Amino acid sequence: MIIVGLGANVSGPWGSPRETVSRALEELNRNGTKLLRSSRLLATAPFGRPNQPPFINAVAELSSHLPPEALMRRLHAIEYAAGRRRGIRWGPRTLDLDLLDYHGLIRRPAYPLFGGKRPLLLPHPGIRERLFVLKPLAEIAPEWRHPESRIKAAEMVRKLTGVHGGNEI
């Protein structure tokens, strides 16, 4: 199972955040990736930097013959086409695509790659504390388990909503 998180909170060349996420889902069904299913679009409060517009988020399940690094390059190309330019961490963006899980692969390299690039970490290290990922993930893949903890997404949602409340708006 390949799982990708999608989010947008500012308009770009593909339109509003809602239009951009919808278009990104279409793009995930081309050029080496096939969209198997996707969650509903979810409006959420921003994560990390609160003084910015709300996000539209979704999660998609894909199939692909691409290895993880090539798939990340494909996701970055989609982001770029949607107007994404890397800048402020957790800042506003026209589109953010995160590779959340790649067939349960666990990759935690202890060193950066040459050129100062951050290594691809799998599963995505932020899944466990992000309701905007966990809620739509539990919607499309109720039996999915975190590759390291083996806890289901729905259980992680229950734990977080009991502590933090929701982040939907």
Side-chain angles (χ1 to χ4, degrees), residues 8-12 15-22 54-56 94:
N9 74 334
V10 292
S11 296
S16 70
R18 185 172 293 279
E19 292 166 328
T20 298
V21 170
S22 295
F55 274 80
I56 298 298
T94 57

Side-chain angles (χ1 to χ4, degrees), residues 6 66 81 93 101 105 118 125 149 161:
L6 302 91
L66 299 173
R93 58 203 59 196
D101 186 14
L105 183 63
R118 292 188 310 175
S149 70
T161 54

Side-chain angles (χ1 to χ4, degrees), residues 8 11 22 24 26 32 39 42 53 63-64 68 70 75 77 79 81 88 90 102 107-109 128 137 144 160-161:
S11 296
S22 295
E26 293 172 13
S39 70
L42 182 68
S63 66
S64 179
L75 297 180
E79 287 178 341
I88 301 168
W90 294 332
Y102 187 91
R107 290 180 56 184
R108 296 286 187 245
R128 295 177 200 189
L137 177 53
W144 178 87
L160 283 177
T161 54

Side-chain angles (χ1 to χ4, degrees), residues 119-140:
L120 176 59
L121 303 176
L122 291 167
H124 189 286
I127 292 175
R128 295 177 200 189
E129 62 269 353
R130 296 179 180 174
L131 285 170
F132 63 87
V133 168
L134 290 169
K135 284 184 175 184
L137 177 53
E139 176 188 326
I140 67 164

